[in-house]
Amino acid sequence: MLAFALKRLGLAVLVTLTVSLVSFSLLFMSGDPASAIAGENASATDIEAIRTLYGFDRPFLVQYTDWLFSALRGDFGQSYYFKLPVADLIADRLSTTMLLGICGISFALLTAVPLGVAAAVRPNSFIDRLALFLSVMGQAMPSFWFGLVLIVIFSINLGLLPPSGSSSWKNFVMPTVVLGYYAMPAIMRLTRAGMLEVLNADYIRTARAKGASEWRVMFKHALRNAMVPVVSLAAVQMGFMLGGSIVVESIFALHGAGYLAWESIARNDLPTVQALILIFSLFYIVFTFLSDLANAWLDPRIRVG
């Protein structure tokens, strides 16, 4: 297990370095950052002064190396727009996004996994059709439209939940449902497909023939093996929720890291955008690494694969 973990950790480090280089390169490929910071009506002299001030006239590899080593120390520079350290900006906003992401993936798992198991145990039944309906609706319905519908129903018409803000747990109810419902279809279908495959396996029939209870067969033997791909998918979905929550945060006025990313892109705040891309990518990498370890624990055959 230790050798497997070290191998995956080394791969994660290489991916992180690659992502940092690519993200740093793409931001410069999108245009001249000095011109973007100076604005449309800036003169050539002003643009050149900004280029020298922020070090954009240095060789690319020198800029990347300096930025990378500073980032490893937790120093992402100063925001061009907010005039504050980028690390402090992100630290203030990240807790909201983390809380929203954890609530969203928890809602998705607690809803999708039981429905997927029930649909697999009773195929072509009412519960199976209900799971299929919810899955299709989740894929077809845009998250921004779903969020607006919830605001109209539960905030404007019924007055049960606040439409915006983050001062109370009630502010996170509708964003959690919107964000989690988007991840539900894939998790539900994968759980159903995995359970259908596992329930027809020889070792399940053997366990039943030995007199094992249906509860033990279902949850100790079947669900444990069916959850291997679900764990990987949940890790990817969690990374997406943290990095792609900008729409949900904008609709419900949750000033998290996703909303900060939108603000920084709109205002050409290069250091903040670079830091957020790196941090959101790290979330994907870390959660994928943890899912690999969890899958190796669930299925020992993965360790020697």
Side-chain angles (χ1 to χ4, degrees):
M1 186 67 181
L2 179 60
F4 176 83
L6 291 175
K7 180 180 178 181
R8 293 297 182 183
L9 181 60
L11 182 61
V13 172
L14 290 176
V15 173
T16 301
L17 291 174
T18 303
V19 168
S20 67
L21 178 59
V22 171
S23 62
F24 191 84
S25 303
L26 288 176
L27 290 173
F28 281 88
M29 292 178 183
S30 62
D32 183 10
S35 300
I37 296 171
E40 297 180 357
N41 299 322
S43 64
T45 304
D46 294 336
I47 294 174
E48 192 61 32
I50 290 176
R51 184 176 290 110
T52 304
L53 176 64
Y54 289 108
F56 295 139
D57 56 342
R58 297 177 298 164
F60 173 80
L61 288 179
V62 173
Q63 295 184 57
Y64 168 71
T65 304
D66 289 346
W67 174 79
L68 180 61
F69 280 104
S70 297
L72 291 175
R73 299 193 303 269
D75 179 13
F76 296 102
Q78 189 177 41
S79 168
Y80 296 159
Y81 179 82
F82 296 99
K83 306 301 180 183
L84 295 171
V86 174
D88 294 343
L89 274 175
I90 296 176
D92 290 339
R93 304 285 192 98
L94 196 58
S95 59
T96 300
T97 301
M98 288 289 292
L99 178 60
L100 180 60
I102 293 172
C103 292
I105 195 65
S106 299
F107 173 79
L109 289 172
L110 292 175
T111 307
V113 171
L115 279 174
V117 172
V121 172
R122 299 183 179 276
N124 300 319
S125 64
F126 170 76
I127 192 68
D128 190 17
R129 299 301 181 187
L130 176 62
L132 178 62
F133 172 77
L134 292 175
S135 177
V136 172
M137 285 291 294
Q139 283 189 315
M141 186 164 49
S143 58
F144 70 88
W145 184 83
F146 186 33
L148 294 175
V149 169
L150 291 182
I151 290 175
V152 171
I153 295 175
F154 292 100
S155 296
I156 298 176
N157 293 339
L158 299 179
L160 297 176
L161 297 171
S164 62
S166 57
S167 58
S168 170
W169 63 269
K170 293 182 179 180
N171 295 100
F172 288 88
V173 173
M174 290 190 292
T176 295
V177 173
V178 173
L179 200 61
Y181 190 54
Y182 184 82
M184 276 178 53
I187 296 176
M188 190 187 306
R189 290 199 314 271
L190 197 58
T191 303
R192 181 184 182 277
M195 286 295 293
L196 284 174
E197 181 180 356
V198 169
L199 289 174
N200 293 322
D202 292 336
Y203 69 89
I204 295 296
R205 286 192 290 268
T206 302
R208 285 171 172 163
K210 288 182 177 180
S213 64
E214 192 64 22
W215 180 270
R216 183 180 179 87
V217 170
M218 192 66 58
F219 290 96
K220 183 176 181 180
H221 298 289
L223 185 58
R224 176 169 180 169
N225 290 280
M227 284 298 292
V228 172
V230 176
V231 170
S232 299
L233 178 62
V236 174
Q237 291 289 348
M238 180 63 177
F240 170 78
M241 288 180 179
L242 295 176
S245 61
I246 177 173
V247 175
V248 175
E249 290 183 11
S250 300
I251 292 173
F252 295 98
L254 294 173
H255 290 275
Y259 191 77
L260 177 62
W262 179 84
E263 290 179 303
S264 302
I265 293 171
R267 294 159 177 168
N268 297 315
D269 194 352
L270 186 62
T272 307
V273 175
Q274 288 175 326
L276 287 170
I277 290 176
L278 180 62
I279 290 174
F280 286 148
S281 301
L282 282 174
F283 280 132
Y284 277 100
I285 295 167
V286 170
F287 287 126
T288 303
F289 171 70
L290 293 177
S291 71
D292 288 341
L293 297 183
N295 285 336
W297 175 75
L298 290 170
D299 189 352
R301 294 173 297 179
I302 296 177
R303 306 174 197 172
V304 295

